Amino acid sequence: MSTQLLRAQAGEVTPEMRFVAQREQLPTEVILTEVASGRMVIPANKVHLTGRLEPMGIGIAAKCKINANIGNSAVTSNVEEELSKLHAAVHFGADTVMDLSTGKDIDNIRRKIIEMSPVPIGTVPIYQMLEELGGNIEDMRPQHFLDMVEHQAKQGVDYMTIHCGVKLEHLHLTTKRVTGIVSRGGSLIAKWMVAHRKQNPLYEAFNDLCDIMREYDVTWSLGDGLRPRSIADGSDEAQFAELDVLGELTHRGQQNGTQVMVEGPGHIPMHQIQMNIERQIEVCGGAPFYVLGPLVTDIAPGYDHITSAIGASLAGWHGAAMLCYVTPKEHLGLPNLDDVKQGVIAYKIAA
């Protein structure tokens, strides 16, 4: 099956590229060139394209995009609440939405979200896989993860965060940190590797994962499992060791015909943001950089959306392609409907 990347490299202008060109007010040839080079992605699962999806271009040549996170937990939320969050996010300007559900009824909620969403939908497949394993990551076999990625691809998920870049030999670098590993996906993979004393199974299954992503044209969002959780740890050895692996995987993913974007750090002091963006662009060959914040102070209860939007505006200025919003109570609890609204507005201003 062909992807936007492969079709662009063959010189074919797809309907999705034309739509993006019109939306971005750029010549179609520019979109074709950027997609073919891997500097732009159009997250558009073939299943979602048969529904309401309006294709979105993410890359340095396009307008800076923003993502909003929604999703249920084990104790809160239902289909109606998540659809209300989706509506609020899109209404106030979110360009993509990630469903980070970890509670019950995940499949039904996601199916409804994809059905109703005009913007690309992203997920973190390891969350649902963990629920189905009863919460014990040690029980995971590579096939469990491959099956979950294929399951979500068949539902129409447009891009997926997968933590392939955390390697066994990097874990000792995190022991020097003030605040360890913050990424839930990264910490789960780290726990699996420590328990089994083996290499990251997602790194080792990368080519098999590419086969699934290529079949449905799901875009990689290569996860930053070792991102710093405090500015004290910003730009440390662990973060950049993983980035080098993400650079390798970016090129491998593109050679396998898949679209790739790369996730970046959440806590970075202001004076290091430009360096971080430029380093990712160099290491990953210009693949779109998708950053969480970054937060320029570690915590500002009730105002995390503002402190992070400061870092986000600097990141966008220096070349980040998409900014993942942070809500007012990011460090305090799950976002409600008003938090979604406030986070999206702050990030729309930043972008």
PDB file of all heavy atoms in Angstrom, residues 188-223:
ATOM      1  N   LEU A 188       7.512   2.711  31.146  1.00  0.00           N
ATOM      2  CA  LEU A 188       7.023   1.344  30.964  1.00  0.00           C
ATOM      3  C   LEU A 188       8.039   0.489  30.204  1.00  0.00           C
ATOM      4  O   LEU A 188       8.318  -0.657  30.580  1.00  0.00           O
ATOM      5  CB  LEU A 188       5.684   1.360  30.222  1.00  0.00           C
ATOM      6  CG  LEU A 188       4.476   1.876  31.021  1.00  0.00           C
ATOM      7  CD1 LEU A 188       3.289   2.111  30.089  1.00  0.00           C
ATOM      8  CD2 LEU A 188       4.099   0.893  32.134  1.00  0.00           C
ATOM      9  N   ILE A 189       8.591   1.069  29.136  1.00  0.00           N
ATOM     10  CA  ILE A 189       9.611   0.336  28.366  1.00  0.00           C
ATOM     11  C   ILE A 189      10.856   0.093  29.216  1.00  0.00           C
ATOM     12  O   ILE A 189      11.460  -0.989  29.177  1.00  0.00           O
ATOM     13  CB  ILE A 189       9.964   1.108  27.073  1.00  0.00           C
ATOM     14  CG1 ILE A 189       8.757   1.133  26.117  1.00  0.00           C
ATOM     15  CG2 ILE A 189      11.171   0.487  26.380  1.00  0.00           C
ATOM     16  CD1 ILE A 189       8.297  -0.230  25.655  1.00  0.00           C
ATOM     17  N   ALA A 190      11.245   1.101  30.004  1.00  0.00           N
ATOM     18  CA  ALA A 190      12.409   0.949  30.888  1.00  0.00           C
ATOM     19  C   ALA A 190      12.173  -0.189  31.880  1.00  0.00           C
ATOM     20  O   ALA A 190      13.061  -1.019  32.124  1.00  0.00           O
ATOM     21  CB  ALA A 190      12.684   2.259  31.622  1.00  0.00           C
ATOM     22  N   LYS A 191      10.958  -0.240  32.447  1.00  0.00           N
ATOM     23  CA  LYS A 191      10.638  -1.299  33.414  1.00  0.00           C
ATOM     24  C   LYS A 191      10.706  -2.671  32.754  1.00  0.00           C
ATOM     25  O   LYS A 191      11.216  -3.634  33.337  1.00  0.00           O
ATOM     26  CB  LYS A 191       9.241  -1.043  33.991  1.00  0.00           C
ATOM     27  CG  LYS A 191       8.853  -1.978  35.123  1.00  0.00           C
ATOM     28  CD  LYS A 191       7.488  -1.614  35.691  1.00  0.00           C
ATOM     29  CE  LYS A 191       7.121  -2.523  36.859  1.00  0.00           C
ATOM     30  NZ  LYS A 191       5.759  -2.225  37.376  1.00  0.00           N
ATOM     31  N   TRP A 192      10.196  -2.761  31.502  1.00  0.00           N
ATOM     32  CA  TRP A 192      10.253  -4.040  30.772  1.00  0.00           C
ATOM     33  C   TRP A 192      11.708  -4.464  30.546  1.00  0.00           C
ATOM     34  O   TRP A 192      12.058  -5.628  30.750  1.00  0.00           O
ATOM     35  CB  TRP A 192       9.525  -3.900  29.434  1.00  0.00           C
ATOM     36  CG  TRP A 192       9.332  -5.190  28.699  1.00  0.00           C
ATOM     37  CD1 TRP A 192       8.230  -5.989  28.710  1.00  0.00           C
ATOM     38  CD2 TRP A 192      10.288  -5.848  27.838  1.00  0.00           C
ATOM     39  NE1 TRP A 192       8.424  -7.098  27.925  1.00  0.00           N
ATOM     40  CE2 TRP A 192       9.681  -7.044  27.374  1.00  0.00           C
ATOM     41  CE3 TRP A 192      11.579  -5.545  27.430  1.00  0.00           C
ATOM     42  CZ2 TRP A 192      10.332  -7.920  26.517  1.00  0.00           C
ATOM     43  CZ3 TRP A 192      12.235  -6.425  26.581  1.00  0.00           C
ATOM     44  CH2 TRP A 192      11.613  -7.603  26.138  1.00  0.00           C
ATOM     45  N   MET A 193      12.539  -3.523  30.117  1.00  0.00           N
ATOM     46  CA  MET A 193      13.942  -3.859  29.820  1.00  0.00           C
ATOM     47  C   MET A 193      14.690  -4.299  31.076  1.00  0.00           C
ATOM     48  O   MET A 193      15.488  -5.238  31.037  1.00  0.00           O
ATOM     49  CB  MET A 193      14.644  -2.661  29.171  1.00  0.00           C
ATOM     50  CG  MET A 193      14.196  -2.386  27.747  1.00  0.00           C
ATOM     51  SD  MET A 193      15.240  -1.187  26.860  1.00  0.00           S
ATOM     52  CE  MET A 193      14.785   0.350  27.665  1.00  0.00           C
ATOM     53  N   VAL A 194      14.438  -3.624  32.195  1.00  0.00           N
ATOM     54  CA  VAL A 194      15.091  -4.000  33.449  1.00  0.00           C
ATOM     55  C   VAL A 194      14.633  -5.387  33.896  1.00  0.00           C
ATOM     56  O   VAL A 194      15.437  -6.219  34.322  1.00  0.00           O
ATOM     57  CB  VAL A 194      14.800  -2.942  34.546  1.00  0.00           C
ATOM     58  CG1 VAL A 194      15.243  -3.451  35.908  1.00  0.00           C
ATOM     59  CG2 VAL A 194      15.494  -1.625  34.218  1.00  0.00           C
ATOM     60  N   ALA A 195      13.337  -5.663  33.765  1.00  0.00           N
ATOM     61  CA  ALA A 195      12.797  -6.958  34.192  1.00  0.00           C
ATOM     62  C   ALA A 195      13.349  -8.107  33.353  1.00  0.00           C
ATOM     63  O   ALA A 195      13.623  -9.189  33.870  1.00  0.00           O
ATOM     64  CB  ALA A 195      11.269  -6.934  34.117  1.00  0.00           C
ATOM     65  N   HIS A 196      13.498  -7.866  32.034  1.00  0.00           N
ATOM     66  CA  HIS A 196      13.901  -8.948  31.128  1.00  0.00           C
ATOM     67  C   HIS A 196      15.375  -8.906  30.746  1.00  0.00           C
ATOM     68  O   HIS A 196      15.870  -9.837  30.111  1.00  0.00           O
ATOM     69  CB  HIS A 196      13.036  -8.891  29.860  1.00  0.00           C
ATOM     70  CG  HIS A 196      11.592  -9.201  30.108  1.00  0.00           C
ATOM     71  ND1 HIS A 196      11.104 -10.483  30.222  1.00  0.00           N
ATOM     72  CD2 HIS A 196      10.526  -8.385  30.278  1.00  0.00           C
ATOM     73  CE1 HIS A 196       9.800 -10.445  30.446  1.00  0.00           C
ATOM     74  NE2 HIS A 196       9.421  -9.183  30.486  1.00  0.00           N
ATOM     75  N   ARG A 197      16.049  -7.790  31.097  1.00  0.00           N
ATOM     76  CA  ARG A 197      17.459  -7.609  30.727  1.00  0.00           C
ATOM     77  C   ARG A 197      17.670  -7.795  29.221  1.00  0.00           C
ATOM     78  O   ARG A 197      18.602  -8.454  28.767  1.00  0.00           O
ATOM     79  CB  ARG A 197      18.375  -8.558  31.517  1.00  0.00           C
ATOM     80  CG  ARG A 197      18.328  -8.318  33.017  1.00  0.00           C
ATOM     81  CD  ARG A 197      19.264  -9.238  33.780  1.00  0.00           C
ATOM     82  NE  ARG A 197      19.193  -8.993  35.198  1.00  0.00           N
ATOM     83  CZ  ARG A 197      19.903  -8.066  35.864  1.00  0.00           C
ATOM     84  NH1 ARG A 197      20.746  -7.297  35.196  1.00  0.00           N
ATOM     85  NH2 ARG A 197      19.785  -7.920  37.165  1.00  0.00           N
ATOM     86  N   LYS A 198      16.735  -7.228  28.462  1.00  0.00           N
ATOM     87  CA  LYS A 198      16.802  -7.292  26.998  1.00  0.00           C
ATOM     88  C   LYS A 198      16.614  -5.897  26.413  1.00  0.00           C
ATOM     89  O   LYS A 198      16.137  -4.988  27.090  1.00  0.00           O
ATOM     90  CB  LYS A 198      15.694  -8.211  26.457  1.00  0.00           C
ATOM     91  CG  LYS A 198      15.908  -9.687  26.750  1.00  0.00           C
ATOM     92  CD  LYS A 198      14.777 -10.504  26.135  1.00  0.00           C
ATOM     93  CE  LYS A 198      14.963 -11.996  26.387  1.00  0.00           C
ATOM     94  NZ  LYS A 198      13.829 -12.781  25.830  1.00  0.00           N
ATOM     95  N   GLN A 199      16.963  -5.768  25.128  1.00  0.00           N
ATOM     96  CA  GLN A 199      16.823  -4.497  24.416  1.00  0.00           C
ATOM     97  C   GLN A 199      15.346  -4.151  24.239  1.00  0.00           C
ATOM     98  O   GLN A 199      14.474  -5.031  24.260  1.00  0.00           O
ATOM     99  CB  GLN A 199      17.524  -4.597  23.051  1.00  0.00           C
ATOM    100  CG  GLN A 199      17.613  -3.306  22.256  1.00  0.00           C
ATOM    101  CD  GLN A 199      18.270  -2.181  23.039  1.00  0.00           C
ATOM    102  OE1 GLN A 199      17.602  -1.485  23.806  1.00  0.00           O
ATOM    103  NE2 GLN A 199      19.577  -2.023  22.849  1.00  0.00           N
ATOM    104  N   ASN A 200      15.077  -2.870  24.039  1.00  0.00           N
ATOM    105  CA  ASN A 200      13.724  -2.365  23.806  1.00  0.00           C
ATOM    106  C   ASN A 200      13.053  -3.172  22.686  1.00  0.00           C
ATOM    107  O   ASN A 200      13.502  -3.149  21.540  1.00  0.00           O
ATOM    108  CB  ASN A 200      13.805  -0.882  23.423  1.00  0.00           C
ATOM    109  CG  ASN A 200      12.444  -0.236  23.211  1.00  0.00           C
ATOM    110  OD1 ASN A 200      11.430  -0.900  23.065  1.00  0.00           O
ATOM    111  ND2 ASN A 200      12.446   1.079  23.174  1.00  0.00           N
ATOM    112  N   PRO A 201      11.967  -3.893  22.983  1.00  0.00           N
ATOM    113  CA  PRO A 201      11.335  -4.722  21.955  1.00  0.00           C
ATOM    114  C   PRO A 201      10.704  -3.897  20.832  1.00  0.00           C
ATOM    115  O   PRO A 201      10.530  -4.402  19.721  1.00  0.00           O
ATOM    116  CB  PRO A 201      10.260  -5.496  22.733  1.00  0.00           C
ATOM    117  CG  PRO A 201       9.973  -4.646  23.931  1.00  0.00           C
ATOM    118  CD  PRO A 201      11.275  -3.975  24.283  1.00  0.00           C
ATOM    119  N   LEU A 202      10.384  -2.626  21.106  1.00  0.00           N
ATOM    120  CA  LEU A 202       9.802  -1.782  20.065  1.00  0.00           C
ATOM    121  C   LEU A 202      10.879  -1.315  19.089  1.00  0.00           C
ATOM    122  O   LEU A 202      10.618  -1.166  17.895  1.00  0.00           O
ATOM    123  CB  LEU A 202       9.083  -0.569  20.677  1.00  0.00           C
ATOM    124  CG  LEU A 202       8.110  -0.873  21.818  1.00  0.00           C
ATOM    125  CD1 LEU A 202       7.321   0.388  22.183  1.00  0.00           C
ATOM    126  CD2 LEU A 202       7.165  -2.005  21.455  1.00  0.00           C
ATOM    127  N   TYR A 203      12.092  -1.126  19.594  1.00  0.00           N
ATOM    128  CA  TYR A 203      13.224  -0.820  18.711  1.00  0.00           C
ATOM    129  C   TYR A 203      13.503  -2.022  17.815  1.00  0.00           C
ATOM    130  O   TYR A 203      13.707  -1.886  16.605  1.00  0.00           O
ATOM    131  CB  TYR A 203      14.457  -0.466  19.543  1.00  0.00           C
ATOM    132  CG  TYR A 203      15.711  -0.229  18.730  1.00  0.00           C
ATOM    133  CD1 TYR A 203      15.969   1.013  18.157  1.00  0.00           C
ATOM    134  CD2 TYR A 203      16.636  -1.257  18.528  1.00  0.00           C
ATOM    135  CE1 TYR A 203      17.113   1.234  17.399  1.00  0.00           C
ATOM    136  CE2 TYR A 203      17.775  -1.047  17.775  1.00  0.00           C
ATOM    137  CZ  TYR A 203      18.009   0.198  17.213  1.00  0.00           C
ATOM    138  OH  TYR A 203      19.143   0.417  16.450  1.00  0.00           O
ATOM    139  N   GLU A 204      13.483  -3.205  18.412  1.00  0.00           N
ATOM    140  CA  GLU A 204      13.814  -4.412  17.655  1.00  0.00           C
ATOM    141  C   GLU A 204      12.716  -4.789  16.660  1.00  0.00           C
ATOM    142  O   GLU A 204      12.988  -5.432  15.646  1.00  0.00           O
ATOM    143  CB  GLU A 204      14.082  -5.568  18.629  1.00  0.00           C
ATOM    144  CG  GLU A 204      15.218  -5.235  19.607  1.00  0.00           C
ATOM    145  CD  GLU A 204      16.102  -6.410  19.944  1.00  0.00           C
ATOM    146  OE1 GLU A 204      15.552  -7.430  20.370  1.00  0.00           O
ATOM    147  OE2 GLU A 204      17.324  -6.284  19.782  1.00  0.00           O
ATOM    148  N   ALA A 205      11.476  -4.361  16.931  1.00  0.00           N
ATOM    149  CA  ALA A 205      10.357  -4.675  16.029  1.00  0.00           C
ATOM    150  C   ALA A 205      10.067  -3.522  15.069  1.00  0.00           C
ATOM    151  O   ALA A 205       9.002  -3.502  14.437  1.00  0.00           O
ATOM    152  CB  ALA A 205       9.109  -4.999  16.852  1.00  0.00           C
ATOM    153  N   PHE A 206      11.001  -2.586  14.934  1.00  0.00           N
ATOM    154  CA  PHE A 206      10.735  -1.362  14.188  1.00  0.00           C
ATOM    155  C   PHE A 206      10.306  -1.639  12.744  1.00  0.00           C
ATOM    156  O   PHE A 206       9.347  -1.041  12.244  1.00  0.00           O
ATOM    157  CB  PHE A 206      11.961  -0.447  14.203  1.00  0.00           C
ATOM    158  CG  PHE A 206      11.701   0.904  13.587  1.00  0.00           C
ATOM    159  CD1 PHE A 206      11.012   1.881  14.281  1.00  0.00           C
ATOM    160  CD2 PHE A 206      12.143   1.203  12.300  1.00  0.00           C
ATOM    161  CE1 PHE A 206      10.760   3.131  13.721  1.00  0.00           C
ATOM    162  CE2 PHE A 206      11.896   2.445  11.729  1.00  0.00           C
ATOM    163  CZ  PHE A 206      11.200   3.413  12.444  1.00  0.00           C
ATOM    164  N   ASN A 207      10.982  -2.546  12.059  1.00  0.00           N
ATOM    165  CA  ASN A 207      10.620  -2.826  10.665  1.00  0.00           C
ATOM    166  C   ASN A 207       9.224  -3.430  10.546  1.00  0.00           C
ATOM    167  O   ASN A 207       8.471  -3.121   9.615  1.00  0.00           O
ATOM    168  CB  ASN A 207      11.651  -3.749  10.021  1.00  0.00           C
ATOM    169  CG  ASN A 207      12.969  -3.042   9.749  1.00  0.00           C
ATOM    170  OD1 ASN A 207      13.033  -1.817   9.707  1.00  0.00           O
ATOM    171  ND2 ASN A 207      14.039  -3.811   9.573  1.00  0.00           N
ATOM    172  N   ASP A 208       8.870  -4.299  11.502  1.00  0.00           N
ATOM    173  CA  ASP A 208       7.525  -4.880  11.503  1.00  0.00           C
ATOM    174  C   ASP A 208       6.473  -3.799  11.749  1.00  0.00           C
ATOM    175  O   ASP A 208       5.391  -3.811  11.141  1.00  0.00           O
ATOM    176  CB  ASP A 208       7.409  -5.970  12.582  1.00  0.00           C
ATOM    177  CG  ASP A 208       8.259  -7.190  12.269  1.00  0.00           C
ATOM    178  OD1 ASP A 208       8.474  -7.469  11.068  1.00  0.00           O
ATOM    179  OD2 ASP A 208       8.717  -7.857  13.209  1.00  0.00           O
ATOM    180  N   LEU A 209       6.790  -2.864  12.642  1.00  0.00           N
ATOM    181  CA  LEU A 209       5.873  -1.752  12.890  1.00  0.00           C
ATOM    182  C   LEU A 209       5.723  -0.896  11.639  1.00  0.00           C
ATOM    183  O   LEU A 209       4.619  -0.436  11.316  1.00  0.00           O
ATOM    184  CB  LEU A 209       6.378  -0.909  14.066  1.00  0.00           C
ATOM    185  CG  LEU A 209       6.235  -1.562  15.449  1.00  0.00           C
ATOM    186  CD1 LEU A 209       7.089  -0.835  16.481  1.00  0.00           C
ATOM    187  CD2 LEU A 209       4.774  -1.579  15.886  1.00  0.00           C
ATOM    188  N   CYS A 210       6.825  -0.690  10.917  1.00  0.00           N
ATOM    189  CA  CYS A 210       6.768   0.085   9.668  1.00  0.00           C
ATOM    190  C   CYS A 210       5.799  -0.555   8.669  1.00  0.00           C
ATOM    191  O   CYS A 210       5.090   0.162   7.951  1.00  0.00           O
ATOM    192  CB  CYS A 210       8.154   0.198   9.028  1.00  0.00           C
ATOM    193  SG  CYS A 210       9.215   1.462   9.769  1.00  0.00           S
ATOM    194  N   ASP A 211       5.777  -1.878   8.625  1.00  0.00           N
ATOM    195  CA  ASP A 211       4.876  -2.562   7.693  1.00  0.00           C
ATOM    196  C   ASP A 211       3.412  -2.197   7.972  1.00  0.00           C
ATOM    197  O   ASP A 211       2.628  -1.979   7.051  1.00  0.00           O
ATOM    198  CB  ASP A 211       5.060  -4.082   7.794  1.00  0.00           C
ATOM    199  CG  ASP A 211       6.406  -4.558   7.266  1.00  0.00           C
ATOM    200  OD1 ASP A 211       7.061  -3.782   6.536  1.00  0.00           O
ATOM    201  OD2 ASP A 211       6.805  -5.696   7.598  1.00  0.00           O
ATOM    202  N   ILE A 212       3.054  -2.143   9.271  1.00  0.00           N
ATOM    203  CA  ILE A 212       1.676  -1.793   9.638  1.00  0.00           C
ATOM    204  C   ILE A 212       1.403  -0.331   9.326  1.00  0.00           C
ATOM    205  O   ILE A 212       0.373   0.020   8.739  1.00  0.00           O
ATOM    206  CB  ILE A 212       1.432  -2.071  11.138  1.00  0.00           C
ATOM    207  CG1 ILE A 212       1.668  -3.549  11.456  1.00  0.00           C
ATOM    208  CG2 ILE A 212       0.006  -1.642  11.523  1.00  0.00           C
ATOM    209  CD1 ILE A 212       1.705  -3.862  12.946  1.00  0.00           C
ATOM    210  N   MET A 213       2.349   0.546   9.709  1.00  0.00           N
ATOM    211  CA  MET A 213       2.164   1.991   9.494  1.00  0.00           C
ATOM    212  C   MET A 213       2.016   2.291   8.001  1.00  0.00           C
ATOM    213  O   MET A 213       1.190   3.115   7.596  1.00  0.00           O
ATOM    214  CB  MET A 213       3.352   2.772  10.064  1.00  0.00           C
ATOM    215  CG  MET A 213       3.721   2.447  11.502  1.00  0.00           C
ATOM    216  SD  MET A 213       2.524   3.025  12.708  1.00  0.00           S
ATOM    217  CE  MET A 213       3.329   4.508  13.272  1.00  0.00           C
ATOM    218  N   ARG A 214       2.805   1.607   7.187  1.00  0.00           N
ATOM    219  CA  ARG A 214       2.769   1.842   5.739  1.00  0.00           C
ATOM    220  C   ARG A 214       1.441   1.381   5.134  1.00  0.00           C
ATOM    221  O   ARG A 214       0.893   2.033   4.244  1.00  0.00           O
ATOM    222  CB  ARG A 214       3.941   1.129   5.069  1.00  0.00           C
ATOM    223  CG  ARG A 214       4.098   1.441   3.582  1.00  0.00           C
ATOM    224  CD  ARG A 214       5.376   0.838   3.016  1.00  0.00           C
ATOM    225  NE  ARG A 214       5.407  -0.600   3.178  1.00  0.00           N
ATOM    226  CZ  ARG A 214       6.243  -1.259   3.992  1.00  0.00           C
ATOM    227  NH1 ARG A 214       7.127  -0.590   4.728  1.00  0.00           N
ATOM    228  NH2 ARG A 214       6.208  -2.575   4.089  1.00  0.00           N
ATOM    229  N   GLU A 215       0.915   0.256   5.611  1.00  0.00           N
ATOM    230  CA  GLU A 215      -0.327  -0.278   5.048  1.00  0.00           C
ATOM    231  C   GLU A 215      -1.499   0.692   5.203  1.00  0.00           C
ATOM    232  O   GLU A 215      -2.321   0.837   4.299  1.00  0.00           O
ATOM    233  CB  GLU A 215      -0.675  -1.615   5.706  1.00  0.00           C
ATOM    234  CG  GLU A 215      -1.934  -2.246   5.121  1.00  0.00           C
ATOM    235  CD  GLU A 215      -2.248  -3.614   5.704  1.00  0.00           C
ATOM    236  OE1 GLU A 215      -1.436  -4.129   6.498  1.00  0.00           O
ATOM    237  OE2 GLU A 215      -3.313  -4.163   5.358  1.00  0.00           O
ATOM    238  N   TYR A 216      -1.554   1.357   6.359  1.00  0.00           N
ATOM    239  CA  TYR A 216      -2.680   2.260   6.635  1.00  0.00           C
ATOM    240  C   TYR A 216      -2.299   3.732   6.473  1.00  0.00           C
ATOM    241  O   TYR A 216      -3.145   4.605   6.604  1.00  0.00           O
ATOM    242  CB  TYR A 216      -3.206   2.016   8.054  1.00  0.00           C
ATOM    243  CG  TYR A 216      -3.816   0.643   8.212  1.00  0.00           C
ATOM    244  CD1 TYR A 216      -3.027  -0.442   8.616  1.00  0.00           C
ATOM    245  CD2 TYR A 216      -5.161   0.420   7.949  1.00  0.00           C
ATOM    246  CE1 TYR A 216      -3.573  -1.714   8.747  1.00  0.00           C
ATOM    247  CE2 TYR A 216      -5.715  -0.848   8.075  1.00  0.00           C
ATOM    248  CZ  TYR A 216      -4.913  -1.907   8.476  1.00  0.00           C
ATOM    249  OH  TYR A 216      -5.462  -3.163   8.601  1.00  0.00           O
ATOM    250  N   ASP A 217      -1.045   4.003   6.170  1.00  0.00           N
ATOM    251  CA  ASP A 217      -0.471   5.354   6.151  1.00  0.00           C
ATOM    252  C   ASP A 217      -0.696   6.056   7.490  1.00  0.00           C
ATOM    253  O   ASP A 217      -1.220   7.165   7.572  1.00  0.00           O
ATOM    254  CB  ASP A 217      -1.015   6.210   5.009  1.00  0.00           C
ATOM    255  CG  ASP A 217      -0.081   7.404   4.719  1.00  0.00           C
ATOM    256  OD1 ASP A 217       0.965   7.514   5.396  1.00  0.00           O
ATOM    257  OD2 ASP A 217      -0.405   8.215   3.838  1.00  0.00           O
ATOM    258  N   VAL A 218      -0.281   5.376   8.560  1.00  0.00           N
ATOM    259  CA  VAL A 218      -0.238   5.979   9.889  1.00  0.00           C
ATOM    260  C   VAL A 218       1.120   6.666  10.032  1.00  0.00           C
ATOM    261  O   VAL A 218       2.152   6.094   9.676  1.00  0.00           O
ATOM    262  CB  VAL A 218      -0.404   4.910  10.995  1.00  0.00           C
ATOM    263  CG1 VAL A 218      -0.270   5.535  12.383  1.00  0.00           C
ATOM    264  CG2 VAL A 218      -1.736   4.195  10.855  1.00  0.00           C
ATOM    265  N   THR A 219       1.113   7.890  10.512  1.00  0.00           N
ATOM    266  CA  THR A 219       2.354   8.650  10.681  1.00  0.00           C
ATOM    267  C   THR A 219       3.001   8.299  12.019  1.00  0.00           C
ATOM    268  O   THR A 219       2.324   8.242  13.048  1.00  0.00           O
ATOM    269  CB  THR A 219       2.061  10.159  10.622  1.00  0.00           C
ATOM    270  OG1 THR A 219       1.525  10.474   9.331  1.00  0.00           O
ATOM    271  CG2 THR A 219       3.319  10.982  10.852  1.00  0.00           C
ATOM    272  N   TRP A 220       4.304   8.062  11.984  1.00  0.00           N
ATOM    273  CA  TRP A 220       5.064   7.883  13.221  1.00  0.00           C
ATOM    274  C   TRP A 220       5.116   9.199  13.979  1.00  0.00           C
ATOM    275  O   TRP A 220       5.360  10.262  13.400  1.00  0.00           O
ATOM    276  CB  TRP A 220       6.510   7.502  12.921  1.00  0.00           C
ATOM    277  CG  TRP A 220       6.767   6.111  12.481  1.00  0.00           C
ATOM    278  CD1 TRP A 220       6.918   5.668  11.192  1.00  0.00           C
ATOM    279  CD2 TRP A 220       6.954   4.963  13.307  1.00  0.00           C
ATOM    280  NE1 TRP A 220       7.169   4.320  11.181  1.00  0.00           N
ATOM    281  CE2 TRP A 220       7.200   3.867  12.463  1.00  0.00           C
ATOM    282  CE3 TRP A 220       6.936   4.758  14.694  1.00  0.00           C
ATOM    283  CZ2 TRP A 220       7.431   2.585  12.949  1.00  0.00           C
ATOM    284  CZ3 TRP A 220       7.160   3.492  15.180  1.00  0.00           C
ATOM    285  CH2 TRP A 220       7.401   2.410  14.324  1.00  0.00           C
ATOM    286  N   SER A 221       4.931   9.126  15.296  1.00  0.00           N
ATOM    287  CA  SER A 221       5.322  10.217  16.181  1.00  0.00           C
ATOM    288  C   SER A 221       6.313   9.579  17.142  1.00  0.00           C
ATOM    289  O   SER A 221       5.929   9.015  18.167  1.00  0.00           O
ATOM    290  CB  SER A 221       4.109  10.790  16.918  1.00  0.00           C
ATOM    291  OG  SER A 221       4.459  11.946  17.638  1.00  0.00           O
ATOM    292  N   LEU A 222       7.582   9.599  16.753  1.00  0.00           N
ATOM    293  CA  LEU A 222       8.607   8.899  17.532  1.00  0.00           C
ATOM    294  C   LEU A 222       8.699   9.525  18.921  1.00  0.00           C
ATOM    295  O   LEU A 222       9.068  10.685  19.076  1.00  0.00           O
ATOM    296  CB  LEU A 222       9.956   8.954  16.818  1.00  0.00           C
ATOM    297  CG  LEU A 222      10.048   8.164  15.506  1.00  0.00           C
ATOM    298  CD1 LEU A 222      11.383   8.431  14.817  1.00  0.00           C
ATOM    299  CD2 LEU A 222       9.875   6.659  15.764  1.00  0.00           C
ATOM    300  N   GLY A 223       8.332   8.737  19.934  1.00  0.00           N
ATOM    301  CA  GLY A 223       8.202   9.274  21.287  1.00  0.00           C
ATOM    302  C   GLY A 223       9.534   9.532  21.961  1.00  0.00           C
ATOM    303  O   GLY A 223      10.506   8.797  21.765  1.00  0.00           O
TER     304      GLY A 223
END
